[in-house]
Amino acid sequence: MSETTKALFKDALYQVLDNKVFRLLVILGLVLVLPTFLIAAKPEQLVVLFGWRTYEYSDVLGWFNIPMPADPEASHATLILYAQNLLVDQLAGTFGLVFAIAATAFFVPRMVEKGAADTIFSKPVSRGALLMSRYLAGLLFVAILATVLVVGMHVGLLLNSGFSDAGFLWSIPVMIYKYGILHAFSLLIAVLTRSSVAAILTTLMFFAFNGCVHGAWQIKEAQIQRFREQVEAGEEPEGDDPSDLIDGLIVTLDVLHYTLPKTNDAAVISQSLRQALAERRTVFKDPVSGLKVADHPEDMQPLPVSEADLPVIARWGSDEAEKAGTRVTLKRWPLSERKRTEALQELEQRLEDMGIQQVEKDRSHILGNGAPTRSWSEPRGEQTFRCETTFFIAKGQLFGLEFEAPIDPAVGNEQDFWKWRFREGFEIEGVARRHEDAFSTQASWSAELKFNLWFSIGSTLLFVALTLALAWWRLSRIDF
Amino acid sequence: MVTSETSIRVQGLSKTYSRRLFKKGFKALDDVSIEVGRGSVFGLLGPNGAGKTTLIKILLGLVRDFEGQASLFDEPAGSVASRRRVGYLPEAHRLPTYLTGRQVMELFGQMCGRDMGFLRERIPTLLEKVGMAKDADRKMREYSKGMMQRIGLAQALIHEPELVFLDEPTDGVDPIGRAAIREIVMDLKSRGVTIFINSHLLMEVELMCDRVVIMDHGRILRQGTIEELTPRTGVAEFTIPMPNPEVERLLAGLGRDFAFTTRGFDIAVTDDELDQCVDRLRAAGISVRGILSRRLNLEQAFIGLVKQEGWK
């Protein structure tokens, strides 16, 4: 490393360490880290202040309106992941970055102001290198803060809760990445205007505008996809065809989305990197659709299924005497062969033929899409069975999920609870659990271009490089 | 130690600041040519807006897009290679307030390619020289104007440059500090360092510089040695033992503008008349202790020249 490079790095570090907002943010970061040392999220319950108070996860998750996971033993992990996401991705990743932008926006204006510029630009260092040292100072600013927050929380959770999620550490580079985009833009404005105020205001406006553009683009994509799926399923689409929106609007959104840096994707990148490290539990995987089931239905075991059983692809049953006859069956048909409306009509016709008059119709959601459900009671010998069939669509396939269990007052509402939790364990890569999550679910390293994370990062870095090049070009032409 | 080598060579240099929206363009330099020999102390004088700072900034690469030629040590002016051999103390400079005086010197020393081994030896010596050894570890924001100026000078010299530009080096410095800076300049000169001084304090310039250029409105009005720029006034300043009213009568008919002074008298005379004055005084038994042929000082010469050009 040359002496000049060392000097510029040291200068960047000194500049950051002397910054009052930086010191304040370090303290705030430590305040956020502190609870991880005081509250232990043990697998069985939440322990506050080394045993002073304890709380059940069903209560705690309920307070925050967080769904219980399919596996109750994963409750503490669910709560921790929620807290990490809230504090790091949401709080630090948004408000923290706004503070960081405001605190570092003066780096370049102060360097180019009269008196300071004469001294520094007369040194045998290129203007480009000096500009990059200011860029580096900003990155260091956020890197140190992100490290304090993320590593602090990680160590706290490890020591106090015995919980370790190495993937959480990916939040550090992702926060630097997100800030790096905005800092490059701030630098450009600072060079053009030589004003900190202009740099702060314009960068924040750009941040908000950028967020709106990508948010609108994601909504547009989700609406188009939803419309197509409904048409493909042979159903009456909800609402008008989004493709009928003004052509100009769609083209503008597409152009802006492809060219602007994708700040919104930072959270998705962070999640994807974490998932890449995490081992996901899967008890069943359908090779055709990619549908995964995280856990067996409660108190049930998988039953053997062969090719000859198609359309049945998975089946579970119970060994317990009081649950004898309880079955969960998963069926699959290609949508090209069987539409959902046809499947529903056939079921209703069969029930009518069986003389079952009372059929309850309902509509729930599985994997982010509407899933019509039919429930009925069916006498079988001396027993009466409660049956339920739900049809849902994903990846060009129609799935039928059937529950049947003898009516037993001892089972009661619990029956509904395990069914719900079992459905929560469904997952297909690229299919969102909620419609609002359509983008984050589809975006991945291997997805098609518009959802591809490599493209997202590549196009963003290109934008950053062009922005810095423009700032360097302008700086090199200034007469001090 | 002035050598025949050239440190600065400027030929036909012109700089016009281009017109901007709501701003008129103007010509800051107009066909300026100068040469500064290695090891000399060169003074640049001129009223405000004369183009002095623009000239220095072009030489240091702070101002670009000029016409003509400018080089330092035969390297194009403003190039990284030429800047490596140059130190600069700008007028009204601002050093990074987040650093201490010592850190400023380390930073700029390393930026000029010097390693920490060299700097650890060099910094204490320089701090001592500029009288900042005690305050070197305080943050720049705590410094007074004079202290800033001293550290500014030290940072300009940190990498042992061969050419130093000093823009108003004594600005804000107390008399003791000014004397110290003069001493440093003379020490640098003795080591063969070329010094380029831009100052409004003409006394300082007169005391330190070998050659001076006087500029106005972007043009060079005059350049030369201090002697060449400060002509004799023709007034002879006589020193005699005690006030003697007889002297005026003795010298009647010789010269003009006779006037008594505390040490003797002044009289404007030609060289022939000066001899006759001495003869008459000696014949009258009056001892002549000293005769000084009075010259214009640099300030008088400068004001006279600038006013004369301004009236043209």
Side-chain angles (χ1 to χ4, degrees):
Chain A
M1 198 191 285
S2 74
E3 291 302 324
T4 305
T5 312
K6 281 186 209 166
L8 294 179
F9 184 81
K10 256 165 56 178
D11 181 45
L13 188 64
Y14 285 141
Q15 189 157 200
V16 169
L17 296 179
D18 188 65
N19 191 296
K20 286 198 176 78
V21 180
F22 173 79
R23 292 178 193 172
L24 180 71
L25 289 177
V26 167
I27 292 169
L28 283 176
L30 292 173
V31 168
L32 292 177
V33 165
L34 191 62
T36 61
F37 286 88
L38 301 178
I39 302 171
K42 301 285 184 191
E44 52 285 353
Q45 58 192 359
L46 197 69
V47 182
V48 178
L49 281 178
F50 316 105
W52 178 58
R53 287 275 171 87
T54 56
Y55 297 95
E56 295 301 322
Y57 284 111
S58 53
D59 294 337
V60 178
L61 294 175
W63 295 337
F64 293 101
N65 205 18
I66 309 167
M68 276 291 283
D71 176 8
E73 287 178 13
S75 298
H76 75 301
T78 303
L79 183 67
I80 289 170
L81 293 176
Y82 175 81
Q84 286 176 336
N85 178 52
L86 180 74
L87 297 177
V88 176
D89 290 342
Q90 307 298 323
L91 193 69
T94 309
F95 294 106
L97 286 190
V98 168
F99 272 102
I101 290 163
T104 56
F106 69 86
F107 284 176
V108 167
R110 190 170 281 181
M111 178 175 73
V112 297
E113 72 188 12
K114 202 170 165 52
D118 296 342
T119 317
I120 201 154
F121 288 108
S122 64
K123 300 297 171 204
V125 180
S126 73
R127 293 187 182 187
L130 287 166
L131 182 73
M132 286 314 293
S133 78
R134 267 46 191 174
Y135 187 66
L136 173 74
L139 297 186
L140 270 176
F141 187 102
V142 170
I144 297 172
L145 287 173
T147 305
V148 167
L149 181 64
V150 174
V151 174
M153 283 180 79
H154 187 74
V155 170
L157 288 168
L158 190 66
L159 295 179
N160 203 20
S161 305
F163 180 88
S164 174
D165 171 17
F168 178 50
L169 300 175
W170 277 113
S171 298
I172 299 173
V174 172
M175 274 172 79
I176 299 170
Y177 167 80
K178 190 172 178 182
Y179 169 79
I181 303 166
L182 299 170
H183 189 43
F185 187 81
S186 168
L187 238 62
L188 173 64
I189 302 299
V191 170
L192 291 175
T193 63
R194 302 200 208 179
S195 156
S196 310
V197 176
I200 293 169
L201 293 179
T202 316
T203 306
L204 292 181
M205 283 196 299
F206 173 75
F207 188 21
F209 174 74
N210 210 30
C212 290
V213 164
H214 295 304
W217 183 87
Q218 287 169 14
I219 291 169
K220 181 209 77 167
E221 282 297 315
Q223 294 295 337
I224 289 174
Q225 190 195 344
R226 181 181 198 159
F227 186 84
R228 279 183 192 151
E229 278 172 1
Q230 286 171 338
V231 170
E232 206 175 309
E235 294 170 353
E236 186 66 28
E238 296 166 13
D240 298 330
D241 183 357
S243 308
D244 289 345
L245 280 168
I246 310 159
D247 275 353
L249 182 63
I250 287 186
V251 171
T252 307
L253 274 177
D254 280 341
V255 169
L256 288 173
H257 168 76
Y258 284 115
T259 51
L260 287 174
K262 288 138 196 81
T263 42
N264 287 20
D265 287 3
V268 182
I269 292 168
S270 176
Q271 290 301 325
S272 297
L273 289 168
R274 289 174 73 168
Q275 280 168 10
L277 281 183
E279 277 185 34
R280 314 211 102 214
R281 182 175 170 166
T282 302
V283 296
F284 168 75
K285 183 176 179 183
D286 174 28
V288 175
S289 63
L291 178 111
K292 294 177 195 165
V293 180
D295 213 344
H296 301 301
E298 196 177 7
D299 298 333
M300 289 195 189
Q301 290 77 42
L303 301 174
V305 173
S306 69
E307 283 279 321
D309 295 322
L310 276 173
V312 175
I313 55 172
R315 188 183 280 142
W316 290 267
S318 178
D319 289 340
E320 293 177 32
E322 63 269 27
K323 284 189 181 175
T326 302
R327 287 279 184 282
V328 174
T329 310
L330 187 62
K331 294 179 178 172
R332 165 176 48 75
W333 302 269
L335 258 181
S336 53
E337 291 176 15
R338 198 176 198 221
K339 300 288 180 212
R340 183 157 60 184
T341 41
E342 293 167 11
L344 276 168
Q345 281 166 8
E346 281 174 25
L347 174 66
E348 285 166 1
Q349 186 60 53
R350 188 168 64 83
L351 293 174
E352 201 178 318
D353 294 346
M354 287 168 68
I356 296 170
Q357 301 294 322
Q358 209 171 358
V359 178
E360 291 159 32
K361 295 182 179 180
D362 198 3
R363 190 175 176 87
S364 57
H365 279 81
I366 295 182
L367 293 170
N369 284 312
T373 300
R374 300 291 179 266
S375 313
W376 68 93
S377 296
E378 188 180 319
R380 291 184 191 171
E382 291 178 1
Q383 284 184 301
T384 302
F385 276 70
R386 185 72 187 155
C387 303
E388 181 186 296
T389 296
T390 304
F391 291 105
F392 62 96
I393 293 165
K395 292 279 178 183
Q397 306 290 324
L398 173 67
F399 293 90
L401 181 61
E402 299 175 0
F403 294 96
E404 50 190 84
I407 292 175
D408 180 352
V411 177
N413 290 334
E414 208 181 301
Q415 192 177 351
D416 288 335
F417 182 68
W418 65 253
K419 278 192 297 188
W420 169 74
R421 218 160 61 189
F422 178 60
R423 285 175 182 178
E424 279 294 300
F426 282 3
E427 186 191 309
I428 299 181
E429 193 175 309
V431 175
R433 194 172 291 282
R434 294 181 309 160
H435 209 69
E436 306 89 83
D437 297 335
F439 175 76
S440 56
T441 314
Q442 289 184 74
S444 69
W445 307 109
S446 55
E448 61 170 298
L449 186 66
K450 55 185 168 184
F451 299 111
N452 186 291
L453 292 182
W454 293 118
F455 170 74
S456 169
I457 293 174
S459 59
T460 299
L461 293 181
L462 181 66
F463 178 91
V464 169
L466 289 174
T467 306
L468 289 174
L470 188 59
W472 168 79
W473 174 81
R474 178 65 196 119
L475 185 65
S476 66
R477 294 176 60 84
I478 293 177
D479 281 345
F480 291 107
Chain B
M1 191 171 66
V2 183
T3 69
S4 57
E5 290 175 71
T6 306
S7 296
I8 303 173
R9 182 173 283 126
V10 171
Q11 274 186 329
L13 193 66
S14 296
K15 169 69 188 176
T16 304
Y17 286 102
S18 55
R19 195 207 302 234
R20 295 265 171 85
L21 197 64
F22 309 121
K23 268 188 179 176
K24 255 175 78 176
F26 76 99
K27 200 162 198 173
L29 289 179
D30 186 5
D31 196 24
V32 169
S33 298
I34 51 171
E35 277 197 18
V36 179
R38 195 174 280 208
S40 63
V41 182
F42 191 89
L44 189 59
L45 304 180
N48 295 330
K52 308 184 296 291
T53 301
T54 300
L55 174 59
I56 293 179
K57 286 185 173 182
I58 286 176
L59 293 173
L60 289 162
L62 294 168
V63 168
R64 297 172 179 198
D65 296 332
F66 52 85
E67 290 168 38
Q69 290 184 329
S71 63
L72 305 179
F73 308 105
D74 297 325
E75 299 274 3
S79 66
V80 169
S82 71
R83 278 186 282 159
R84 208 176 289 280
R85 301 165 74 176
V86 170
Y88 178 38
L89 169 65
E91 181 187 11
H93 61 269
R94 279 198 206 173
L95 298 170
T97 51
Y98 50 87
L99 298 177
T100 63
R102 192 183 304 279
Q103 286 169 340
V104 163
M105 294 177 70
E106 284 174 5
L107 169 69
F108 290 147
Q110 280 190 298
M111 280 170 87
C112 293
R114 294 295 192 176
D115 61 39
M116 281 307 291
F118 170 87
L119 293 171
R120 269 191 282 272
E121 280 185 27
R122 174 85 172 143
I123 289 171
T125 319
L126 257 183
L127 285 170
E128 198 65 51
K129 259 189 187 173
V130 297
M132 286 295 292
K134 272 197 291 183
D135 298 299
D137 294 311
R138 282 168 60 192
K139 285 272 164 74
M140 292 297 294
R141 66 170 78 94
E142 297 167 16
Y143 283 1
S144 69
K145 194 179 174 189
M147 290 161 107
M148 284 270 201
Q149 195 70 359
R150 288 163 192 247
I151 287 291
L153 178 63
Q155 65 79 27
L157 306 176
I158 186 67
H159 57 301
E160 293 190 325
E162 295 166 58
L163 167 63
V164 182
F165 289 94
L166 303 176
D167 202 345
E168 300 295 350
T170 53
D171 190 21
V173 182
D174 58 40
I176 296 167
R178 280 209 290 273
I181 289 174
R182 273 202 301 274
E183 202 177 305
I184 290 169
V185 169
M186 297 329 266
D187 179 48
L188 290 170
K189 186 189 171 187
S190 70
R191 292 162 189 246
V193 177
T194 311
I195 321 280
F196 194 105
I197 298 177
N198 174 17
S199 176
H200 288 297
L201 291 176
L202 303 187
M203 272 267 281
E204 304 279 347
V205 173
E206 203 170 349
L207 283 170
M208 292 189 278
C209 296
D210 304 317
R211 284 184 68 80
V212 170
V213 158
I214 299 177
M215 292 180 70
D216 194 17
H217 293 105
R219 288 176 296 118
I220 291 180
L221 300 183
R222 234 172 132 186
Q223 59 179 311
T225 60
I226 296 287
E227 282 211 347
E228 286 165 354
L229 293 176
T230 53
R232 291 180 181 181
T233 55
V235 173
E237 197 179 303
F238 279 78
T239 305
I240 53 175
M242 60 181 69
N244 191 336
E246 283 300 300
V247 172
E248 191 170 7
R249 191 183 54 77
L250 280 170
L251 301 181
L254 287 176
R256 60 193 189 285
D257 300 336
F258 181 93
F260 282 110
T261 65
T262 51
R263 286 178 298 181
F265 62 91
D266 287 351
I267 184 166
V269 287
T270 62
D271 288 349
D272 281 345
E273 288 171 330
L274 182 64
D275 290 339
Q276 289 181 47
C277 287
V278 175
D279 292 344
R280 287 189 193 179
L281 290 169
R282 291 298 301 128
I286 297 171
S287 171
V288 177
R289 297 279 167 85
I291 305 170
L292 189 69
S293 177
R294 194 183 283 171
R295 313 179 76 95
L296 281 180
N297 63 28
L298 191 57
E299 189 170 273
Q300 289 164 328
F302 171 77
I303 292 170
L305 190 61
V306 172
K307 275 189 176 170
Q308 184 187 341
E309 286 298 316
W311 288 334
K312 270 184 187 175

